[in-house]
Amino acid sequence: MEDPARAAALRVARRAAAEIPAYAAHLARHGLAPDDLRDLAAVPVLDRAGLAGAAPADWCPGGEASAAAEWVSSSGSSGRPLVTAVGAAERRALGRMVDRSLEALGVGPAAPGLLVNALPGGVALPARLAAVATPGTRPDLVLEVIRRAAPVGGRVVLVGDPLLLKEVAEQGAAAMGPGWAPRGMHVIVGGEWVAESWRRRFAALTGLGDDPGDPAQGALISMGAAELGLHVFAETPVLRVARALLVDPRARRALLGRDPGYAPELLAYDPRRVLVEERPRPGGARELVVTTLASRLVPLVRYAPGDQGEHVAPGALARLLAAAGLPGEPGPVLAVWGRVGALAGDGWSLRPEPVKEALFAMEDAGRLTGRFRLATAAGRPVVHVQFRDAADAPPRLARDLAAAVGALAGVPAAVVLHACRAYPWHPGADFQRKPVYLDPGGER
């Protein structure tokens, strides 16, 4: 019996082939015509380079740029920035999605809300259920908005990238003491892979989410992309608890059948909105491949945004949740390991994600921005680390971080410390651009 989701994805592919000039050209490069699309498995995968390789207007129906109601751009952290068209219906759907998300966090007529949008790049978060503040990526303005505009008896929902939110938390704790955040504040964090140690540090600084099972406050992870849309994959309070359990290697082996050494993000998605496939990568890893099923101006068919992940077996997840006294999670859930790629040398490899886990767990994490660069020298890993503005380096920091990274790679590692404004890849406290963690010369 044909899978309805795959049948829907094939219909999306046929529509794209008939209406989208850039997609028809993508098929032609693989020797296919629109009439050849009879089996989804035979449809070629599209990656970011292919999406960025055509003029943005050529991804609009009929090649007409006037069909767009809005243009959005990616950060360009994984290559050439993307500029993608959004239709009027999608923009209205985004507003409905934001309001549904606010409702799930307790915002409503009886509990007024303040939505603080600290996302970079002018990303809009339209909402009717909450007042919207747009302080941008200045930590001091984010703090000032929260302090002065938080509704009495209502909810604050703060949305931003992890390194900006870390800086907000650090500055708030320095000015007002740990536990400074308003009671009941929710935080939606995304934009890059988020370490569980980041969440523990954020909770300690803000007073939010010391108990990962508390649904009334704390940080939840969201994953999307400019071209796919916001909040396509999302953590729930139940999955937040499940991920906290995965800091134990035994829990990782029970859930996933193996232990890559760190806890993946656990993210749910709506199978009516996207079809998610997996394709093999070297070394046994899996890469996510996404087809958009909901009506949108620019359909994406078998699109690989560059994320490593896999579906979690429902039975294994149910057993993990039951052991913690939690209800089962409806719908499909992904284990997301981060971006595709690793630094590699002779007999060793190193991914940025476990380095993030190690860095945010350090005693001296408050001295660091969280940005680092993995490179090689003399065949061994080198970690370049950026300090926060005006922070100094105790002697133990480089030693401790080198030991942690060396243990992850299985070979000795070196650490190079950089003052905030002298860090060569991301000078200063710029939160508009995402960090690039891997040196291209050593990437595999």
Side-chain angles (χ1 to χ4, degrees):
M1 183 177 178
E2 187 176 29
D3 183 342
R6 294 183 69 84
L10 192 57
R11 290 193 295 271
V12 172
R14 290 168 177 158
R15 181 212 138 189
E19 298 180 2
I20 310 294
Y23 191 70
H26 165 68
L27 293 177
R29 286 192 293 272
H30 288 82
L32 296 172
D35 291 343
D36 297 328
L37 301 183
R38 298 184 179 89
D39 179 7
L40 186 64
V43 175
V45 170
L46 173 68
D47 60 17
R48 284 197 170 196
L51 192 59
D58 286 341
W59 286 101
C60 295
E64 292 292 335
S66 59
E70 183 179 357
W71 291 93
V72 297
S73 60
S74 73
S75 67
S77 61
S78 58
R80 183 178 177 181
L82 292 173
V83 177
T84 307
V86 174
E90 292 167 75
R91 194 162 58 178
R92 291 191 294 270
L94 174 61
R96 293 192 294 270
M97 183 272 288
V98 171
D99 278 337
R100 286 196 300 271
S101 300
L102 289 171
E103 281 186 308
L105 298 177
V107 176
L114 171 67
L115 175 59
V116 183
N117 177 3
L119 292 171
V123 177
L125 293 176
R128 291 186 300 173
L129 289 181
V132 180
T134 54
T137 57
R138 276 185 52 182
D140 58 335
L141 291 184
V142 174
L143 279 170
E144 196 68 6
V145 165
I146 293 171
R147 292 173 64 181
R148 293 182 175 271
V152 177
R155 296 276 187 181
V156 175
V157 179
L158 171 60
V159 184
D161 290 354
L163 300 191
L164 170 70
L165 296 179
K166 174 185 179 294
E167 184 63 25
V168 169
E170 301 276 9
Q171 290 189 19
M176 296 171 275
W180 60 266
R183 175 71 183 169
M185 187 169 86
H186 286 283
V187 177
I188 308 299
V189 56
E192 62 173 283
W193 190 88
V194 181
E196 193 63 15
S197 57
W198 174 94
R199 179 154 36 201
R200 292 195 299 271
R201 176 160 187 83
F202 185 83
L205 291 167
T206 60
L208 299 172
D210 292 319
D211 174 10
D214 181 1
Q217 61 182 358
L220 292 168
I221 299 168
S222 174
M223 176 179 163
E227 64 276 19
L228 283 174
L230 298 176
H231 210 53
V232 178
F233 309 104
E235 188 178 53
T236 65
V238 168
L239 291 178
R240 177 170 61 192
V241 177
R243 196 205 188 191
L245 298 174
L246 295 183
V247 299
D248 184 342
R250 294 169 297 180
R252 295 195 290 267
R253 287 191 289 268
L255 180 65
L256 303 160
R258 67 191 195 288
D259 176 25
Y262 64 102
E265 297 175 337
L266 295 180
L267 306 177
Y269 68 91
D270 184 348
R272 298 166 299 181
R273 187 179 177 189
V274 290
L275 170 71
V276 182
E277 303 173 89
E278 304 164 21
R279 68 169 176 170
R281 296 284 301 184
R286 314 286 294 179
E287 181 179 9
L288 301 178
V289 176
V290 183
T291 299
T292 56
L293 302 180
S295 177
R296 66 202 310 264
L297 188 69
V298 180
L300 293 176
V301 182
R302 305 203 78 202
Y303 177 61
D307 297 294
Q308 185 174 312
E310 63 203 85
H311 285 88
V312 176
L317 180 58
R319 289 190 292 273
L320 177 70
L321 295 175
L326 296 168
E329 185 67 25
V333 172
L334 298 171
V336 178
W337 299 101
R339 301 294 290 172
V340 167
L343 189 75
D346 185 13
W348 62 269
S349 66
L350 183 64
R351 290 179 53 78
E353 291 77 15
V355 176
K356 291 183 182 183
E357 285 286 5
L359 187 149
F360 291 117
M362 293 180 63
E363 179 183 352
D364 295 305
R367 301 175 187 268
L368 306 175
T369 64
R371 300 184 190 98
F372 60 86
R373 184 90 158 193
L374 299 181
T376 57
R380 298 296 173 89
V382 178
V383 186
H384 296 264
V385 180
Q386 184 189 37
F387 278 88
R388 292 176 65 213
D389 224 356
D392 59 352
R396 65 177 180 272
L397 193 151
R399 181 194 64 227
D400 292 350
L401 186 56
V405 174
L408 293 170
V411 294
V415 170
V416 180
L417 306 177
H418 298 270
C420 185
R421 299 177 190 278
Y423 186 69
W425 301 282
H426 202 123
D430 170 20
F431 295 100
Q432 279 291 331
R433 293 183 298 122
K434 295 179 185 177
V436 177
Y437 294 102
L438 286 177
D439 183 88
E443 188 173 351
R444 183 182 67 187

